[in-house]
Amino acid sequence: MGDVVKDEYQTDYVAGQDNIKPFGLDLHAPVFPITAILVVVFVMGTLMFPEASKELLDGAKLDIIATFDWFFLLSANIFVIVCIALIFMPVGKIRLGGMDSKPEFSTISWFSMLFAAGMGIGLMFWAVAEPVAYYTGWYGTPFDVVANTPEARDLAMGATMYHWGLHPWAVYSIVALSLAFFSFNKGMPLTIRSAFFPLLKDKVWGWPGHIIDILAVVATIFGLATSLGFGAQQAASGLSYLFGMSSGINVQMAIIVGVTAVALMSVLRGLDGGVKVLSNINMALAGILLFFIIFAGPTMSILENIWATSVSYVTNIVPLSNPFGREDETWLRGWTVFYWAWWISWSPFVGMFIARVSKGRTVREFVTAVLIIPTVITTVWMSSFGGSALEQIDKGIGVLAEKGITEVSLATFQMFEHLPFTGILSFIGIVLVLVFFITSSDSGSLVIDSITAGGKTDAPTAQRVFWVVMEGAIAAALIFGGGADALGAIQATAISAGLPFTVILLVMTWGLLKGLTHERKLLIARGEMT
């Protein structure tokens, strides 16, 4: 009975078989050196000509966003539909790693890690700034509604959730599930290229696969470096706002050094004692902050706002997802398409990390946890933070009411000013931001190391140490050498990478559905599934 269906996804390739081992390291021969050269050349060029680089790359980014806005929206909709379908399809019973596989981490730790890697840091900066921006018309309004009206307020929360709900997590789900399935169920290396086996077969272990992995590493490094750099600037602004200290280059560099040092210690402790512990700390601090906002702020208004936000999100998700005939082009391209390109450019990093920690989960459990649960929690978070800010604006309280968005990184702290125990809240907020950065740096080094080691998950610790230090060094060099212009140029490159990665994700989606369908036939033939 077991021979009725032939397994089409068999390969003789072994993770790391093309590796070289200089100085006791374990590096994939083409991927590591080419990636290193590209990163060094690009960073040096950006540092030497920061303004020109930013102007050129910003132009390319804006052209991509303006020309392919419909493609980004249409593709993101496909990812959401496929993920929801997977929850209900028979293939949902397939378990990552085999039907007898057990999860490596508890459900709480697993969820904490995927959430912290996925977008935890963004929630701290945008939970207040984004709804306020949409309500006040800081950079356009959804559907071009009139700013500062009840309709604008309702749409502000619904549109914010649209950007932080199902769509980004569907992008991460597709990448993570594809990598986890082909790695844990088919024994392929844990690299991006493995998801292309259904299309390329054994050619994926040659140059087509090398190019895919190189693009993934470059996008991940640039995404992490820009986030670390901008994050250092934002954390410094928060410290300056709260304590009156300088927010200059020296403070930003000190923050990067501190974050890198703690990430380094986390790396040395390993995945179980490092990222897992930090992610649990993240979730605990985030929970404390969230409950305090709910009960110290306008509690009844927040509870009502959670329901109103949910209704607005459900009501507007289809109109907001429409890629054609939109009149709100400024808002659509400046916010939605920018977000979709950013999430997609981050998907190799976040997707691979989620895959790495998800062995033993069923497809249904995986997609439900990665897609639905974060969306529910984010609804509560955005409603609490954003709702409190909008309440202050409506009552004419504080800087947000008087001036609107003055600086994105300060919006959350400006909202905290008018709640009890402002100092404690702000301190917890800054610590949470820094721990989120540390988690991203640590998990990012894990991903980059796996790809540059040819898909091996047990490469020498020294290699992850190298990547952690490199991420911090690149961010520090960009801030020191070119400031916001250099960081903006690298960010524009990462976002521009969203276009080719959208095509890659669409191919991944096809390969994933094909692979899962075939796997179910195999399991039924073997009597392991009904």
Side-chain angles (χ1 to χ4, degrees):
M1 192 70 177
D3 296 325
V4 173
V5 179
K6 181 183 177 182
D7 190 347
E8 298 176 3
Y9 300 105
Q10 291 294 324
T11 178
D12 295 327
Y13 189 86
V14 178
Q17 74 175 42
D18 294 329
N19 287 11
I20 55 176
K21 300 185 178 182
F23 310 110
L25 301 178
D26 198 348
L27 307 170
H28 194 272
V31 175
F32 180 85
I34 293 175
T35 300
I37 292 169
L38 286 174
V39 170
V40 170
V41 169
F42 200 94
V43 170
M44 290 298 294
T46 303
L47 288 175
M48 292 171 64
F49 310 102
E51 292 182 11
S53 298
K54 186 174 186 298
E55 184 177 349
L56 176 66
L57 294 167
D58 271 347
K61 177 191 74 176
L62 293 174
D63 285 344
I64 287 172
I65 286 176
T67 306
F68 295 97
D69 52 358
W70 62 273
F71 181 63
F72 282 114
L73 263 71
L74 199 59
S75 300
N77 294 340
I78 290 172
F79 302 142
V80 172
I81 292 168
V82 169
C83 285
I84 292 174
L86 284 172
I87 295 174
F88 300 99
M89 289 170 64
V91 296
K93 293 190 289 185
I94 295 173
R95 190 172 294 276
L96 299 174
M99 298 308 285
D100 297 325
S101 181
K102 303 294 182 185
E104 295 181 52
F105 304 98
S106 70
T107 301
I108 294 296
S109 292
W110 173 56
F111 176 73
S112 297
M113 285 189 285
L114 69 88
F115 195 78
M119 58 180 59
I121 187 60
L123 296 179
M124 280 300 299
F125 286 113
W126 289 109
V128 170
E130 193 166 336
V132 171
Y134 299 163
Y135 184 34
T136 59
W138 181 62
Y139 191 76
T141 58
F143 305 132
D144 286 338
V145 299
V146 179
N148 297 300
T149 61
E151 185 181 9
R153 173 169 178 154
D154 177 64
L155 263 175
M157 296 308 304
T160 298
M161 272 311 304
Y162 172 63
H163 292 151
W164 294 85
L166 296 176
H167 284 76
W169 287 102
V171 170
Y172 295 157
S173 294
I174 291 293
V175 177
L177 188 57
S178 297
L179 297 177
F181 172 72
F182 287 107
S183 177
F184 300 142
N185 292 70
K186 296 302 173 186
M188 297 182 191
L190 187 61
T191 64
I192 303 295
R193 71 174 75 195
S194 294
F196 288 80
F197 190 85
L199 177 67
L200 300 173
K201 299 299 181 184
D202 281 320
K203 291 180 182 178
V204 81
W205 313 125
W207 275 104
H210 298 339
I211 292 170
I212 290 168
D213 279 350
I214 289 167
L215 287 173
V217 174
V218 170
T220 299
I221 290 175
F222 287 166
L224 286 170
T226 51
S227 290
L228 188 58
F230 282 127
Q233 292 179 344
Q234 291 168 328
S237 297
L239 290 170
S240 174
Y241 182 77
L242 290 172
F243 304 115
M245 61 189 293
S246 168
S247 61
I249 296 289
N250 290 340
V251 174
Q252 295 171 29
M253 298 285 276
I255 290 171
I256 289 176
V257 170
V259 165
T260 302
V262 179
L264 196 58
M265 289 187 285
S266 177
V267 163
L268 295 173
R269 288 177 58 86
L271 182 62
D272 200 61
V275 176
K276 188 182 83 169
V277 172
L278 286 172
S279 298
N280 288 340
I281 292 172
N282 269 337
M283 292 305 292
L285 286 173
I288 291 169
L289 196 59
L290 176 60
F291 281 111
F292 193 89
I293 295 295
I294 292 173
F295 293 109
T299 306
M300 290 308 299
S301 177
I302 289 173
L303 295 177
E304 291 172 0
N305 200 49
I306 291 171
W307 172 252
T309 299
S310 303
V311 171
S312 178
Y313 179 36
V314 172
T315 303
N316 290 293
I317 188 171
V318 173
L320 287 168
S321 300
N322 176 26
F324 306 110
R326 296 280 290 271
E327 297 181 359
D328 54 345
E329 283 189 357
T330 299
W331 181 86
L332 176 70
R333 292 172 179 174
W335 289 99
T336 302
V337 182
F338 176 89
Y339 265 131
W340 280 193
W342 184 245
W343 298 139
I344 289 168
S345 71
W346 263 60
S347 62
F349 152 50
V350 180
M352 182 173 286
F353 179 75
I354 292 175
R356 174 69 180 81
V357 298
S358 298
K359 188 175 182 179
R361 309 287 172 176
T362 65
V363 169
R364 183 168 295 123
E365 180 185 9
F366 176 93
V367 177
T368 301
V370 178
L371 187 70
I372 306 299
I373 296 176
T375 300
V376 172
I377 292 177
T378 303
T379 301
V380 176
W381 182 279
M382 291 297 191
S383 300
S384 302
F385 281 70
S388 296
L390 297 187
E391 186 83 6
Q392 290 177 7
I393 291 174
D394 286 341
K395 292 181 178 179
I397 298 172
V399 176
L400 293 175
E402 294 171 11
K403 301 179 180 179
I405 300 293
T406 55
E407 189 174 337
V408 170
S409 61
L410 297 180
T412 299
F413 299 112
Q414 290 167 342
M415 186 271 285
F416 284 167
E417 269 193 348
H418 303 281
L419 294 175
F421 305 107
T422 300
I424 296 174
L425 278 177
S426 299
F427 180 75
I428 293 174
I430 290 175
V431 172
L432 189 58
V433 166
L434 294 176
V435 179
F436 271 131
F437 278 131
I438 294 164
T439 309
S440 294
S441 178
D442 193 353
S443 52
S445 68
L446 181 92
V447 167
I448 296 170
D449 184 35
S450 180
I451 299 175
T452 55
K456 296 184 72 172
T457 57
D458 58 350
T461 303
Q463 291 177 208
R464 282 183 61 196
V465 169
F466 169 78
W467 288 116
V468 167
V469 173
M470 278 298 294
E471 289 160 23
I474 291 170
L478 290 170
I479 285 180
F480 187 77
D485 284 335
L487 285 170
I490 298 292
Q491 185 190 48
T493 305
I495 292 168
S496 299
L499 180 62
F501 265 108
T502 303
V503 178
I504 287 174
L505 258 66
L506 289 169
V507 176
M508 266 191 184
T509 304
W510 169 80
L512 174 64
L513 293 173
K514 194 168 183 285
L516 289 173
T517 302
H518 181 69
E519 182 75 358
R520 181 170 178 266
K521 291 178 181 177
L522 278 176
L523 292 172
I524 291 173
R526 295 169 182 166
E528 297 180 41
M529 181 181 288
T530 57

